[in-house]
Amino acid sequence: MEYLITALKLIVGLSLLNVWLLQRDKNTKWRGGNATTLSEEFKVYGLSPYMFKIVGGLKIILAIGLLLSIYYTSIASICAIGLAILLTGSIAMHLKIKDPLFKSFPAALFLTLCLIIALS
C-alpha cells in the first residue's frame, strides 16, 4: 500500500506542477469556458488576477509539499486535504459557468486521489 500512496503523491504533485508551471499559458481541452490560458480561465470564472496568484501559489506549494511528504510523511494529510479543497473549488467553478462535465474530469480525478492519500 505504501508504494501505491507514493505513486499517487508523485502523480498528483508532478501533474499539478506541470499544469501550473509548464502548461499555464497553453491551450488545453480542459480549460474553463473558451479560455486558452490559466489566467484567462480565472477571468471566465469571474475571479480576479489576485485570486489567480493566490490559488496558483497555494497549489504549487501544496504540490511540492505532497512530493516532500514521500520523505516527511507527517505533512501528507495537510497537503492532500489542502489540495482537495482547492480542487473542489475548481470543480465548482466549472459547474458555475456550466462547462461540459468532461472539463471537470482532471480536477475530480485529482480530488479523488488526494482523498485517498489523506485517508491512508
Side-chain angles (χ1 to χ4, degrees), residues 5-116:
I5 297 303
T6 298
L8 295 181
K9 290 175 182 180
L10 286 168
I11 291 166
V12 173
L14 293 174
S15 294
L16 289 174
L17 290 175
N18 177 51
V19 168
W20 280 91
L21 298 176
L22 302 177
Q23 303 294 322
R24 72 180 193 173
D25 294 325
K26 295 182 180 174
N27 191 12
T28 74
K29 66 180 179 179
W30 312 109
R31 299 265 182 245
N34 293 320
T36 59
T37 67
L38 266 176
S39 60
E40 284 180 17
E41 193 170 359
F42 272 66
K43 288 178 191 170
V44 169
Y45 297 146
L47 300 172
S48 70
Y50 180 73
M51 283 302 295
F52 171 71
K53 291 176 183 174
I54 294 292
V55 170
L58 286 171
K59 283 192 177 180
I60 290 167
I61 289 166
L62 291 169
I64 291 169
L66 200 59
L67 294 172
L68 290 173
S69 77
I70 294 168
Y71 297 103
Y72 305 100
T73 56
S74 62
I75 63 172
S77 289
I78 296 288
C79 294
I81 291 168
L83 286 169
I85 291 167
L86 293 171
L87 290 161
T88 300
S90 299
I91 295 167
M93 290 296 106
H94 282 291
L95 294 173
K96 173 186 172 186
I97 65 167
K98 298 179 175 43
D99 266 342
L101 281 179
F102 83 88
K103 288 193 175 195
S104 297
F105 175 75
L109 173 63
F110 292 133
L111 168 61
T112 303
L113 298 180
C114 283
L115 293 174
I116 291 169

